[in-house]
Amino acid sequence: MRRVVVTGLGLISPLGIGVLPGWENLTAGRSGIGPVTRFDVSGYDCQIAGEVKGFDSSDFISPKLAKRIDLFVAYALACTKMAMDDAALEVSSSLAPRLGVITGCGLGGLGTIERYRDVLVQKGPDRVSPFFIPMAIPNMASGQISIIFGAKGPNTVLCTACAAGSHAIGEAFKTIQRGAADAMICGGTESVITPLALSGFASLKALSVRNSEPEKASRPFERDRDGFVIGEGAGILVIEELGHALRRGADVHAEIVGYGLTGDAYHMTAPPDDGEGAARCMQMALDDAGLTYKDIDYINAHGTSTQLNDSCETRAIKTVFKEVAKKIPVSSTKSMTGHLLGGAGGIEAVFAIKTIEDGIIPPTVNYENPDPECDLDYVPNIARRKSVNVAMSNSFGFGGTNAVLIFRRYEG
């Protein structure tokens, strides 16, 4: 079986632009959540989000291109440049057909759709831009990455809600394993802090309304949680077949060793009470990696800060990890970034890899009052220094779609 390693990382999140700023803020327990600044939210139940601050697309792409793409694509392109630079990967004519791209997102160019709906209504059909459709479609992140970086191999997008970023990485991993590519650019991206998204999720009663304390609103696994907070950004990995990486002298961040994907077959937006589908997904990833539950040193939980998700994920972890469940550190980085929806799996993969590299487990902030139904070790409030050899990252989405990734410290 071909081994697959991670050689490049790119990150944009509410915690900063770049891997190092984001990681430093995360491990310091700083929240990136604040009041929505992009539009007037005075009439909204939820008025907070995890916005990306200080992003200048001209640092990564041409101004001309920036005008023709949605923000979710710009984030993906910027993160890809970071990851490719980190990997020091040059795309030769021989590599190009063996370099692929798989990205994930949940809603694609929703902001563009809202904008041009207004243009249509207010100014008429002749004023809708010819770039509207290419800006809005979800596969334009992978498409533009392919065009700009010259990746001619497998190219696709996964729109599996909040599991999309992890599914993209997992499918890219399997693409290399089966020999269809030697390297892949993969991860998740999302930017839907928009009036329609905020209204829609609020109508589902899924969002926190702790508007007076934005930085304390996302409180995964905590008794007084009242919903998730929308975030935005992207996390992109460059992954390679081990031999390909070694032959060019690449530095290796970690090895990806396991991937699971399952369906709940239960409900549009709610997981089953026992977390059965999530438990099967974790077990599938363990089996794929050839590991047992006792080999996992850390779990980056899906941990959305909703009542159902957190309790069901806790039950699923107990099912899989049995007698050691309460001994394994479990944290939700969404407590600081908010929930990036289809981008969540991408940034959380970066965080899981950095946990292995640096031996620092990020905390679950805002954990003040324990919930009797959520009784694991959630690394409350303060990061923990601990050697981590194997990390699991969970992502679960609407429609009952589940994805789990396992990363391991690279050893030649």
Side-chain angles (χ1 to χ4, degrees):
M1 184 70 71
R2 284 157 58 97
R3 293 171 66 184
V4 180
V5 294
V6 180
T7 56
L9 302 175
L11 179 69
I12 292 173
S13 80
L15 298 176
I17 311 296
V19 174
L20 185 58
W23 178 243
E24 287 181 344
N25 284 323
L26 186 80
T27 53
R30 300 186 185 105
S31 175
I33 296 167
V36 172
T37 63
R38 304 219 175 128
F39 53 94
D40 182 7
V41 292
S42 56
Y44 290 67
D45 291 337
C46 176
Q47 303 174 359
I48 56 177
E51 295 181 338
V52 170
K53 304 291 188 183
F55 176 71
D56 186 345
S57 60
S58 66
D59 292 337
F60 304 96
I61 56 179
S62 71
K64 182 178 180 181
L65 177 61
K67 293 178 181 178
R68 298 178 175 182
I69 58 176
D70 190 272
L71 193 52
F72 86 100
V73 178
Y75 287 157
L77 287 172
C79 283
T80 299
K81 185 177 187 309
M82 294 178 199
M84 292 290 279
D85 288 348
D86 183 35
L89 182 61
E90 295 183 4
V91 184
S92 64
S93 59
S94 59
L95 175 60
R98 303 287 298 169
L99 172 64
V101 187
I102 303 180
T103 58
C105 71
L107 292 167
L110 183 61
T112 293
I113 293 170
E114 292 184 41
R115 172 185 169 194
Y116 280 106
R117 168 64 182 177
D118 290 345
V119 169
L120 173 65
V121 171
Q122 296 168 13
K123 299 181 180 181
D126 293 342
R127 298 300 297 275
V128 174
S129 169
F131 294 105
F132 162 58
I133 297 299
M135 289 174 72
I137 55 179
N139 73 304
M140 200 49 65
S142 57
Q144 287 286 3
I145 290 169
S146 171
I147 292 165
I148 290 172
F149 293 91
K152 297 182 177 181
N155 185 297
T156 192
V157 63
L158 299 174
C159 297
T160 49
C162 305
S166 290
H167 277 141
I169 294 168
E171 293 302 321
F173 164 53
K174 290 301 174 184
T175 299
I176 293 174
Q177 270 198 338
R178 68 173 180 263
D182 293 323
M184 296 289 293
I185 299 164
C186 54
T189 184
E190 199 83 271
S191 181
V192 291
I193 301 174
T194 71
L196 195 55
L198 204 64
S199 301
F201 281 115
S203 294
L204 282 171
K205 305 299 182 185
L207 297 181
S208 171
V209 293
R210 197 182 291 261
N211 297 317
S212 62
E213 297 179 299
E215 71 285 351
K216 295 184 178 182
S218 185
R219 5 188 4 104
F221 305 107
E222 203 261 0
R223 184 192 68 193
D224 299 324
R225 63 192 185 275
D226 71 327
F228 76 85
V229 178
I230 294 180
E232 65 173 350
I236 297 290
L237 312 183
V238 171
I239 64 175
E240 302 180 54
E241 187 272 325
L242 176 59
H244 183 272
L246 293 180
R247 284 191 295 273
R248 66 181 194 86
D251 292 330
V252 174
H253 290 286
E255 184 173 2
I256 178 169
V257 295
Y259 170 49
L261 68 165
T262 64
D264 290 341
Y266 179 72
H267 189 272
M268 284 192 296
T269 60
D273 289 343
D274 59 1
E276 184 269 343
R280 280 189 294 108
C281 198
M282 285 185 270
Q283 188 60 55
M284 182 183 289
L286 287 168
D287 293 344
D288 186 48
L291 299 173
T292 74
Y293 63 89
K294 294 181 181 179
D295 294 316
I296 301 297
D297 300 310
Y298 166 63
I299 301 172
N300 186 296
H302 187 54
T304 59
S305 185
T306 60
Q307 288 292 332
L308 275 177
N309 175 85
D310 293 359
S311 58
C312 293
E313 185 172 12
T314 296
R315 292 186 194 108
I317 290 170
K318 288 180 178 180
T319 297
V320 175
F321 290 88
K322 302 178 175 65
E323 77 279 2
V324 302
K326 294 186 179 182
K327 300 177 183 178
I328 298 173
V330 177
S331 67
S332 173
T333 48
K334 290 182 180 72
S335 60
M336 291 166 276
T337 65
H339 190 354
L340 271 68
L341 310 177
I347 69 164
E348 287 160 16
V350 173
F351 294 151
I353 291 164
K354 289 298 293 179
T355 298
I356 292 170
E357 281 195 305
D358 290 3
I360 303 174
I361 296 175
T364 304
V365 302
N366 301 321
Y367 190 86
E368 297 171 349
N369 300 299
D371 180 345
E373 292 190 357
C374 299
D375 56 353
L376 303 178
D377 174 8
Y378 301 113
V379 194
N381 302 313
I382 299 173
R384 183 180 303 168
R385 288 200 170 271
K386 183 180 185 295
S387 178
V388 173
N389 290 310
V390 185
M392 173 180 282
S393 183
N394 292 343
S395 298
F396 312 128
F398 281 179
T401 183
N402 307 306
V404 173
L405 299 170
I406 298 178
F407 300 96
R408 181 170 61 195
R409 184 184 304 278
Y410 169 67
E411 295 178 357

